[in-house]
Every structure is written in C-alpha cells, then in structure tokens.
Amino acid sequence: MTTADQQALTDALSAEYAAVYAYGVIAAYANTDRAKVVAEYTAAHRARRDATIDALKAGGAPVPDSAAAYTAPFPVDDPIPAAKLAVTVESDCAVAWRSVVEQSDLPATRRTGIEALTDSAVRLANWQAILGTNPATIAFPGKP
C-alpha cells in the first residue's frame, strides 16, 4: 500500500468512525418512520468502517482508534436536526471517499473509493429528499 493510499484510507476511516457515532444520535431523534432507513445506513457505515480497517491492516498500515465521542455541529433534539445531521455525515463521508479516489495510487483502492462515494451520495440524496431539498443531489458529490 502506498503512502497516498494509506493516508486517504485513514482519513476516510475517520469519517466512517464519525458517521457510525452520529447515526447513534440520529437514531435517538429521527422520526420513527425512518427507523428502518437509519438502521440500514448505520449498518452500511459499520460495514464500510470494518472493511476500511481490514484494508489498512492488509496493507500493513497502522489503524487509528476512533474517538471516544464526537460533537455534532449543531444541537440535535428532534427529527429535523437529526435528518440534517445525517446530511452532514453523508456529505463528510462523500468528501472523504472522493479524496480516496483522487489521491489513491492503487486501482483497487480507487475502486473502493468509487463504491463508497457512490453509496454516500445515494444516502445523501435520500436524506436531502426527506428534508425537501430540491434538487436532492448535485452533479459531483463529495466536491469540497
């Protein structure tokens, strides 16, 4: 694994750690009609986190620990801020995975980045649609 791949995956892992934590907060405050979506998206982020850890280990790279806690960028105390937090999380993950695509030297790592970016973009579009954002997506998700 190249240094560029290692750094990009480490940054993406940090975004996935934060996403898993944030989805716990989202689950606590999301509209009960969204419980299935929240559970599905939480599982997706856990799986992506675990796969990223495995990729770093397989490449002989150190795996950083997650933080003990993460701070939401705004108070989350009802369903609307919970959905907005989900938008923030998916946007952050899209940026991190787009960076993997841009910075990686290895085709397999770029492929993983494309898959993860696509997954985050779809989840982001869903949350944007739930919030009534029009359009629900942008042409190039993950662009800082």
Side-chain angles (χ1 to χ4, degrees):
M1 176 177 294
T2 69
T3 303
D5 288 80
Q6 178 182 333
Q7 185 59 54
L9 284 174
T10 298
D11 293 345
L13 178 60
S14 293
E16 291 298 337
Y17 280 148
V20 170
Y21 186 91
Y23 266 98
V25 175
I26 294 162
Y29 291 102
N31 184 316
T32 56
D33 295 343
R34 309 271 184 250
K36 184 177 177 184
V37 169
V38 171
E40 176 186 333
Y41 291 178
T42 301
H45 281 290
R46 283 184 180 139
R48 184 69 64 192
R49 174 202 62 198
D50 294 347
T52 305
I53 289 169
D54 291 346
L56 285 167
K57 286 180 180 177
V63 177
D65 293 329
S66 66
Y70 296 84
T71 304
F74 46 80
V76 178
D77 54 6
D78 68 46
I80 298 299
K84 288 180 180 179
L85 179 58
V87 165
T88 300
V89 165
E90 297 302 346
S91 295
D92 291 349
C93 285
V95 168
W97 287 108
R98 180 182 170 124
S99 182
V100 169
V101 174
E102 293 171 342
Q103 295 179 22
S104 176
D105 293 322
L106 300 173
T109 306
R110 281 195 301 275
R111 209 170 13 261
T112 296
I114 290 167
E115 292 168 4
L117 171 57
T118 301
D119 292 345
S120 288
V122 169
R123 289 188 298 265
L124 174 58
N126 188 41
W127 283 114
Q128 295 276 50
I130 287 168
L131 287 168
T133 304
N134 188 12
T137 192
I138 58 173
F140 299 103
K143 187 174 180 183

